Amino acid sequence: MPPKFEIYKDATEKYRFRLRAQNDQIIATGEAYEQHAGVMKGVKSVQKNCNAQIEDQTTESEKIPNPKYQVLVNNEGKFRFNLKAGNGEIIAQSENYETKAGCMNGIEAVKESCNAEIEDQTVTEEASQPATEAPLPSATPVAETKKAPTAEAQGKTVFVGKKPPMDYVLAIITGLSAGREIAITLKARGQAITTAVDATEITRRRFLKNLKINKITIGTEEMPPREGESRARMVSTIEIALTKE
């Protein structure tokens, strides 16, 4: 597989990147960023400085100016490297290697990945606009049961995002149990699809035994590239239409 930079969120919801080599091994990682724009700048900085010279601090070699790779050894005798930008900031670092040769090979792998594509795994977690302003497009239905003729037209649409499933369970129960809506349709993108499915199942199994999945529609939506990207992104979508029997 070709090398790639992966943009993702860590357990604290901060943005990070990691560089995977052709063998799918992670060869370099970045720091935590508060904003998406920050992590993208970090990736671009690695791409810009990836052909820097190497300063081996495990020997008495000559010091070189930034940008540069620094080869280091820890107290356990394991090797690693940092990539520093022109301003001296560390923009990427490696895991530990048992040998210096392995560490040097890691640096060469980074140099061979200067033009690696960027895979943004956070795009499915955040919509570029509020969901009410950017509804999901129509998609080809792949699973369908018997449908009330005008339920969707008269029903309510709930756009599923990053909130817990129970928030959407409440929306379903409030709408259908109170008789305010004939139908409710959950719409979700990417990783939020799991939340939409969970909310549906929790509602059906624990609260509304007569909840009926009227229709499931899946599709793919093309979204514009983020800042620093050159290609459009394809994001999976789902619509789950719900009624009461």
Side-chain angles (χ1 to χ4, degrees), residues 143-240:
E144 185 173 357
T145 58
K146 199 176 291 184
K147 175 185 174 184
T150 60
E152 285 188 335
Q154 300 178 19
K156 175 183 179 182
T157 297
V158 176
F159 294 94
V160 180
K162 298 193 296 182
K163 295 180 180 179
M166 288 303 299
D167 284 33
Y168 304 104
V169 169
L170 179 61
I172 297 171
I173 295 173
T174 302
L176 294 179
S177 295
R180 297 175 182 176
E181 308 292 348
I182 294 177
I184 287 182
T185 299
L186 301 184
K187 294 188 177 184
R189 295 185 179 100
Q191 293 182 359
I193 291 174
T194 300
T195 303
V197 174
D198 289 346
T200 300
E201 289 302 297
I202 292 171
T203 305
R204 182 169 64 170
R205 295 180 181 181
R206 296 174 53 186
F207 299 101
L208 297 180
K209 301 296 184 180
N210 61 341
L211 184 69
K212 178 182 177 182
I213 299 176
N214 204 43
K215 180 182 178 182
I216 297 176
T217 304
I218 63 172
T220 303
E221 178 182 1
E222 181 176 309
M223 298 182 67
R226 290 185 183 273
E227 180 183 355
E229 296 179 345
S230 59
R231 294 187 297 179
R233 297 163 285 128
M234 305 305 295
V235 181
S236 298
T237 64
I238 194 172
E239 299 182 14
I240 306 175

Side-chain angles (χ1 to χ4, degrees), residues 49-116:
N49 297 290
C50 65
N51 285 314
Q53 293 181 291
I54 301 172
E55 178 184 279
D56 188 353
Q57 294 194 348
T58 67
T59 66
E60 295 183 357
S61 61
E62 180 183 356
K63 303 298 182 182
I64 61 175
N66 297 314
K68 63 185 175 184
Y69 290 91
Q70 287 182 322
V71 178
L72 311 166
V73 62
N74 63 19
N75 293 333
E76 299 176 351
K78 295 185 178 181
F79 298 85
R80 63 182 176 86
F81 67 81
N82 294 330
L83 174 57
K84 285 191 170 183
N87 61 1
E89 179 182 354
I90 296 175
I91 52 177
Q93 55 189 351
S94 73
E95 301 294 332
N96 290 329
Y97 292 87
E98 294 294 334
T99 65
K100 184 188 290 189
C103 185
M104 292 298 187
N105 287 339
I107 293 175
E108 290 305 314
V110 175
K111 290 187 175 185
E112 293 172 0
S113 306
C114 293
N115 297 318

